[in-house]
């Protein structure tokens, strides 16, 4: 997280999002340099050495 290398047991992006407690949040997912549409998350497998970035939008006043 935050630029660090992390290990995960999640086999796909949706599992990772659930493990991180981000389900239902406004996020963007980038896998190996490509932004994934929300409907691709359950099919997008996380392979060894995958580069995954999740951006969580937070509002403020």
């Amino acid at each position: 997280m935050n630029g660090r290398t992390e290990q995960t047991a999640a086999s796909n992006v949706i599992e990772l999002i659930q493990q991180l407690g981000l389900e239902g949040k406004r996020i963007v997912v980038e896998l190996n340099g490509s932004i994934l549409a929300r409907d691709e998350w359950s099919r997008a497998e996380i392979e060894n050495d995958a580069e995954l970035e999740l951006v969580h939008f937070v509002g403020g006043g």
Side-chain angles (χ1 to χ4, degrees):
M1 299 190 133
N2 292 329
R4 294 186 313 252
T5 300
E6 298 278 336
Q7 300 260 338
T8 183
S11 62
N12 61 43
V13 172
I14 196 72
E15 284 181 15
L16 178 62
I17 289 169
Q18 291 168 342
Q19 288 176 8
L20 295 173
L22 296 174
E23 209 170 7
K25 305 284 185 181
R26 300 180 86 172
I27 61 174
V28 173
V29 177
E30 181 181 296
L31 178 60
N32 296 324
S34 296
I35 294 175
L36 298 178
R38 191 174 290 262
D39 64 352
E40 296 177 298
W41 292 357
S42 62
R43 296 185 310 272
E45 295 183 11
I46 301 173
E47 298 178 4
N48 290 338
D49 298 325
E51 289 188 30
L52 187 64
E53 186 168 346
L54 290 96
V55 178
H56 177 219
F57 294 96
V58 179

